[in-house]
């Protein structure tokens, strides 16, 4: 999934779940044990970082299809 499609899917899913990006950061940190903040999520959504464990956690948390 191209970065823009992934970004749209994440944003739409957060709206559907009525959750915030801050909530997503907390969930990612809890699942991966890695520090995650809004800047990390922004870089992942913009495609400027390829942090595979974080991307995988986002897909799992939001129930998004794999690439």
């Amino acid at each position: 999934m191209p970065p823009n499609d992934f970004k749209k899917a994440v944003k739409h899913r957060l709206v559907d779940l009525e959750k915030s990006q801050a909530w997503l950061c907390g969930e990612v940190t809890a699942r991966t044990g890695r520090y995650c903040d809004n800047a990390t999520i922004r870089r992942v959504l913009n495609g400027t970082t390829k942090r595979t464990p974080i991307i995988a956690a986002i897909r799992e948390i939001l129930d998004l299809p794999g690439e």
Side-chain angles (χ1 to χ4, degrees), residues 8-50:
K8 287 178 188 176
V10 169
K11 296 288 187 175
H12 283 279
R13 189 70 179 131
L14 286 173
V15 169
D16 290 345
L17 295 173
E18 297 180 359
K19 300 291 185 180
S20 67
Q21 189 168 302
W23 170 84
L24 181 59
C25 290
E27 292 294 311
V28 168
T29 298
R31 289 200 189 209
T32 64
R34 295 172 184 238
Y35 178 74
C36 180
D37 61 4
N38 284 325
T40 304
I41 298 292
R42 184 180 66 246
R43 286 190 301 271
V44 167
L45 296 181
N46 288 335
T48 58
T49 188
K50 301 291 184 196

Side-chain angles (χ1 to χ4, degrees), residues 13 17 57-65:
R13 189 70 179 131
L17 295 173
I58 291 171
R59 289 185 185 285
E60 183 180 321
I61 292 163
L62 298 179
D63 194 29
L64 295 174

